[in-house]
């Protein structure tokens, strides 16, 4: 039997639909993954095999071929582990129901069958909503804000055993606590506390209203940096959509952004490398420019920055 389960792949912050197809045949024990997988995806076969074995499922005398469709798109990351395991169980007829076409699975598996969150979960969820999925099974991540979508049902799972019982109608997935919400957020520097500088303050107010760039010049110590640091406090709070964009960017960079409603303020030093400012690298990550999205990027002593960075 050939099984097919939906999942989400990521290309930066852009998500795309991946169909995890599995064919189980009698033969020498092996798991083969095709569909342009990278090293992290190829390692999934060991995690999935160990997780299934820990739940009492034997893959002996089985040749398993896993195809990640669309075949021409390169796949990366461990997001497909859960979908692979579910698709194998469907192919082995260990799961009774047929997985609905608009149901997706994302998450990494540990060797004992626990479902674990990975980087890029939030962009994957946003992509699933945009791509028209109706239900999404995924691990709970307290670093991510509690999400509520009218047209996408999110089911949080903690283990492979839990989801198998749930899909077979033998168990109910318990409600998990909501993600920690940061309350009483305040600005580190408030625009209203600055005395004087009436012309500069008026220019910044106009820039904040129209989302304009500002160039400030003056002698050292006259207050340019202070005005820049207080600039976010006169900008409107981030909308829900903007907050999700920001949290997605920071998750992809491997850092945590706590001030969910406050526009970000980034102040890179002029000696910083081009990669740290613009982004990229051997394993591409967002730079300071991207992390300042929807907020303020302050280039102090801009004349000292190299041409490559500016």
């Amino acid at each position: 039997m050939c099984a097919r389960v939906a999942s989400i792949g990521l290309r930066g912050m852009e998500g795309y639909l991946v169909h995890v197809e599995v064919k189980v045949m009698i033969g020498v024990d092996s798991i083969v993954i095709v569909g342009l997988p990278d090293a992290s995806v190829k390692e999934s076969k060991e995690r999935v095999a160990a997780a299934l074995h820990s739940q009492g499922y034997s893959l002996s005398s089985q040749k398993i071929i896993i195809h990640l469709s669309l075949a021409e798109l390169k796949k990366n990351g461990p997001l497909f582990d859960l979908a692979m395991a579910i698709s194998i169980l469907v192919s082995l007829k260990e799961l009774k129901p047929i997985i609905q076409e608009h149901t997706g699975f994302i998450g990494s598996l540990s060797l004992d069958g626990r479902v674990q969150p990975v980087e890029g979960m939030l962009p994957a969820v946003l992509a699933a909503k945009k791509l028209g999925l109706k239900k999404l099974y995924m691990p709970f991540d307290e670093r991510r804000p509690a999400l509520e979508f009218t047209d996408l049902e999110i089911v949080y799972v903690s283990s492979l055993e839990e989801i198998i019982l749930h899909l077979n109608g033998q168990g109910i997935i318990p409600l998990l606590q909501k993600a920690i919400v940061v309350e009483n957020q305040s600005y580190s520097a408030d625009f209203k506390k600055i005395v004087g500088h009436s012309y500069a303050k008026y220019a910044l107010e106009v820039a904040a209203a129209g989302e304009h760039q500002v160039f400030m010049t003056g002698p050292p110590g006259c207050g340019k940096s202070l005005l820049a640091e207080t600039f976010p406090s006169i900008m409107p709070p981030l909308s829900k959509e903007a907050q999700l964009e920001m949290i997605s960017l920071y998750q992809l960079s491997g850092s945590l952004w706590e001030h969910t409603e406050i526009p970000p303020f980034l102040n890179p030093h002029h000696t910083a490398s081009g990669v740290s400012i613009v982004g990229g690298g051997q394993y591409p990550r967002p730079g300071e420019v991207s992390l300042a999205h929807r907020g303020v990027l302050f280039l102090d002593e801009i004349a000292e920055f190299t041409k490559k960075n500016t």
Side-chain angles (χ1 to χ4, degrees):
M1 175 181 177
C2 184
R4 179 173 173 170
V5 168
S7 188
I8 300 294
L10 288 176
R11 187 168 46 206
M13 282 190 62
E14 180 184 355
Y16 55 91
L17 189 64
V18 174
H19 291 290
V20 180
E21 302 174 346
V22 170
K23 178 71 174 181
V24 178
M25 302 176 291
I26 298 176
V28 179
D29 301 357
S30 64
I31 299 179
V32 180
I33 301 177
V34 297
L36 292 182
D38 70 353
S40 62
V41 179
K42 290 179 180 179
E43 291 177 350
S44 295
K45 60 185 180 182
E46 309 297 341
R47 294 191 296 270
V48 171
L52 291 174
H53 183 269
S54 68
Q55 303 302 316
Y57 297 102
S58 175
L59 301 180
S60 60
S61 302
Q62 306 281 359
K63 180 178 181 179
I64 301 174
I65 300 176
I66 302 175
H67 176 221
L68 305 178
S69 177
L70 299 167
E72 65 270 19
L73 295 177
K74 188 173 182 178
K75 317 303 187 304
N76 57 78
L79 277 174
F80 311 112
D81 286 10
L82 183 57
M84 289 182 187
I86 296 299
S87 194
I88 289 174
L89 291 175
V90 172
S91 186
L92 292 173
K93 299 182 180 180
E94 296 290 349
L95 284 176
K96 298 177 182 178
I98 297 175
I99 306 299
Q100 298 297 321
E101 182 180 357
H102 297 292
T103 300
F105 300 83
I106 58 175
S108 175
L109 288 175
S110 64
L111 300 185
D112 60 358
R114 286 179 291 117
V115 184
Q116 300 175 323
V118 296
E119 290 185 8
M121 296 289 291
L122 182 54
V125 175
L126 298 178
K129 178 179 179 297
K130 184 177 180 181
L131 292 168
L133 293 184
K134 302 301 182 184
K135 180 181 288 187
L136 185 66
Y137 290 87
M138 60 180 290
F140 180 74
D141 187 358
E142 63 180 13
R143 299 173 302 172
R144 184 182 44 73
L147 299 177
E148 294 181 2
F149 297 113
T150 56
D151 50 354
L152 175 62
E153 179 186 356
I154 298 178
V155 182
Y156 294 110
V157 294
S158 59
S159 68
L160 188 57
E161 179 185 14
E162 185 179 68
I163 192 172
I164 292 171
L165 292 175
H166 174 73
L167 292 174
N168 280 330
Q170 301 173 354
I172 299 176
I173 295 178
L175 295 176
L176 298 175
Q177 62 179 0
K178 289 189 175 181
I180 299 174
V181 178
V182 180
E183 299 180 353
N184 300 323
Q185 300 177 4
S186 60
Y187 297 95
S188 57
D190 201 327
F191 190 81
K192 67 183 179 181
K193 294 182 179 180
I194 296 180
V195 178
H197 297 294
S198 57
Y199 292 109
K201 290 169 70 175
Y202 176 73
L204 290 177
E205 289 169 358
V206 173
E211 298 183 354
H212 303 300
Q213 298 179 355
V214 179
F215 180 80
M216 293 187 290
T217 181
C222 68
K224 302 185 297 297
S225 298
L226 178 61
L227 286 166
E229 291 173 4
T230 60
F231 194 23
S233 67
I234 62 173
M235 299 176 68
L238 296 180
S239 64
K240 193 67 177 179
E241 179 183 353
Q243 292 178 37
L244 296 178
E245 287 181 5
M246 290 306 306
I247 296 172
S248 299
L249 278 169
Y250 275 74
Q251 281 191 345
L252 289 175
S253 70
S255 57
L256 179 63
W257 185 52
E258 297 180 350
H259 305 290
T260 55
E261 296 182 358
I262 298 176
F265 177 81
L266 277 297
N267 180 18
H269 195 264
H270 60 80
T271 60
S273 67
V275 171
S276 67
I277 295 178
V278 180
Q282 183 179 2
Y283 302 99
R285 289 180 179 272
E288 300 280 286
V289 174
S290 298
L291 298 179
H293 179 59
R294 302 274 188 172
V296 178
L297 177 67
F298 178 47
L299 300 178
D300 195 13
E301 303 292 347
I302 190 172
E304 300 294 333
F305 283 81
T306 63
K307 289 184 179 180
K308 183 178 180 181
N309 293 341
T310 55

